[in-house]
mmCIF file of all heavy atoms in Angstrom:
data_model
loop_
_atom_site.group_PDB
_atom_site.id
_atom_site.type_symbol
_atom_site.label_atom_id
_atom_site.label_comp_id
_atom_site.label_asym_id
_atom_site.label_seq_id
_atom_site.Cartn_x
_atom_site.Cartn_y
_atom_site.Cartn_z
ATOM 1 N N TYR A 129 91.361 207.117 190.239
ATOM 2 C CA TYR A 129 90.775 205.796 190.014
ATOM 3 C C TYR A 129 91.178 204.869 191.157
ATOM 4 O O TYR A 129 92.030 204.010 191.003
ATOM 5 C CB TYR A 129 91.236 205.249 188.661
ATOM 6 C CG TYR A 129 90.886 206.180 187.528
ATOM 7 C CD1 TYR A 129 91.820 207.096 187.046
ATOM 8 C CD2 TYR A 129 89.629 206.158 186.967
ATOM 9 C CE1 TYR A 129 91.489 207.964 186.018
ATOM 10 C CE2 TYR A 129 89.302 207.025 185.934
ATOM 11 C CZ TYR A 129 90.228 207.927 185.467
ATOM 12 O OH TYR A 129 89.890 208.787 184.460
ATOM 13 N N PRO A 130 90.544 205.028 192.338
ATOM 14 C CA PRO A 130 90.954 204.222 193.489
ATOM 15 C C PRO A 130 90.462 202.779 193.399
ATOM 16 O O PRO A 130 89.340 202.518 192.951
ATOM 17 C CB PRO A 130 90.291 204.943 194.665
ATOM 18 C CG PRO A 130 89.068 205.562 194.064
ATOM 19 C CD PRO A 130 89.483 205.971 192.668
ATOM 20 N N PRO A 131 91.290 201.828 193.832
ATOM 21 C CA PRO A 131 90.828 200.447 193.934
ATOM 22 C C PRO A 131 89.920 200.311 195.160
ATOM 23 O O PRO A 131 90.223 200.850 196.219
ATOM 24 C CB PRO A 131 92.120 199.649 194.098
ATOM 25 C CG PRO A 131 93.115 200.627 194.632
ATOM 26 C CD PRO A 131 92.692 201.987 194.165
ATOM 27 N N LEU A 132 88.811 199.620 195.000
ATOM 28 C CA LEU A 132 87.836 199.430 196.072
ATOM 29 C C LEU A 132 87.560 197.935 196.223
ATOM 30 O O LEU A 132 87.633 197.196 195.243
ATOM 31 C CB LEU A 132 86.530 200.155 195.737
ATOM 32 C CG LEU A 132 86.656 201.643 195.385
ATOM 33 C CD1 LEU A 132 85.366 202.158 194.782
ATOM 34 C CD2 LEU A 132 87.053 202.452 196.603
ATOM 35 N N THR A 133 87.225 197.488 197.430
ATOM 36 C CA THR A 133 86.939 196.072 197.614
ATOM 37 C C THR A 133 85.532 195.870 198.162
ATOM 38 O O THR A 133 84.992 196.720 198.876
ATOM 39 C CB THR A 133 87.947 195.398 198.573
ATOM 40 O OG1 THR A 133 87.923 196.080 199.824
ATOM 41 C CG2 THR A 133 89.344 195.405 198.008
ATOM 42 N N VAL A 134 84.958 194.726 197.777
ATOM 43 C CA VAL A 134 83.647 194.306 198.251
ATOM 44 C C VAL A 134 83.781 192.846 198.667
ATOM 45 O O VAL A 134 84.354 192.041 197.926
ATOM 46 C CB VAL A 134 82.582 194.442 197.133
ATOM 47 C CG1 VAL A 134 81.250 193.887 197.580
ATOM 48 C CG2 VAL A 134 82.429 195.889 196.708
ATOM 49 N N GLU A 135 83.283 192.512 199.839
ATOM 50 C CA GLU A 135 83.352 191.146 200.352
ATOM 51 C C GLU A 135 82.047 190.417 200.051
ATOM 52 O O GLU A 135 80.963 190.963 200.258
ATOM 53 C CB GLU A 135 83.604 191.150 201.865
ATOM 54 C CG GLU A 135 84.878 191.869 202.287
ATOM 55 C CD GLU A 135 86.140 191.230 201.759
ATOM 56 O OE1 GLU A 135 86.184 189.994 201.645
ATOM 57 O OE2 GLU A 135 87.089 191.967 201.455
ATOM 58 N N LEU A 136 82.162 189.189 199.568
ATOM 59 C CA LEU A 136 81.000 188.346 199.279
ATOM 60 C C LEU A 136 80.850 187.285 200.365
ATOM 61 O O LEU A 136 81.842 186.819 200.927
ATOM 62 C CB LEU A 136 81.164 187.657 197.921
ATOM 63 C CG LEU A 136 81.390 188.566 196.710
ATOM 64 C CD1 LEU A 136 81.607 187.710 195.458
ATOM 65 C CD2 LEU A 136 80.228 189.512 196.521
ATOM 66 N N ASP A 137 79.599 186.857 200.635
ATOM 67 C CA ASP A 137 79.350 185.776 201.607
ATOM 68 C C ASP A 137 79.735 184.416 201.043
ATOM 69 O O ASP A 137 80.105 183.520 201.789
ATOM 70 C CB ASP A 137 77.879 185.755 202.023
ATOM 71 C CG ASP A 137 77.515 186.956 202.888
ATOM 72 O OD1 ASP A 137 78.417 187.518 203.549
ATOM 73 O OD2 ASP A 137 76.331 187.349 202.888
ATOM 74 N N ALA A 138 79.621 184.275 199.711
ATOM 75 C CA ALA A 138 79.950 183.016 199.039
ATOM 76 C C ALA A 138 80.855 183.335 197.851
ATOM 77 O O ALA A 138 80.810 184.437 197.305
ATOM 78 C CB ALA A 138 78.673 182.327 198.567
ATOM 79 N N PRO A 139 81.688 182.393 197.426
ATOM 80 C CA PRO A 139 82.569 182.641 196.278
ATOM 81 C C PRO A 139 81.792 183.061 195.023
ATOM 82 O O PRO A 139 80.654 182.644 194.819
ATOM 83 C CB PRO A 139 83.257 181.299 196.060
ATOM 84 C CG PRO A 139 83.179 180.607 197.379
ATOM 85 C CD PRO A 139 81.883 181.060 197.994
ATOM 86 N N LEU A 140 82.419 183.884 194.213
ATOM 87 C CA LEU A 140 81.797 184.375 192.980
ATOM 88 C C LEU A 140 81.497 183.226 192.016
ATOM 89 O O LEU A 140 80.456 183.217 191.364
ATOM 90 C CB LEU A 140 82.709 185.401 192.292
ATOM 91 C CG LEU A 140 82.166 186.012 191.001
ATOM 92 C CD1 LEU A 140 80.895 186.811 191.258
ATOM 93 C CD2 LEU A 140 83.228 186.876 190.339
#
Side-chain angles (χ1 to χ4, degrees):
Y129 303 96
L132 307 167
T133 57
V134 175
E135 302 297 325
L136 303 177
D137 290 335
L140 181 63

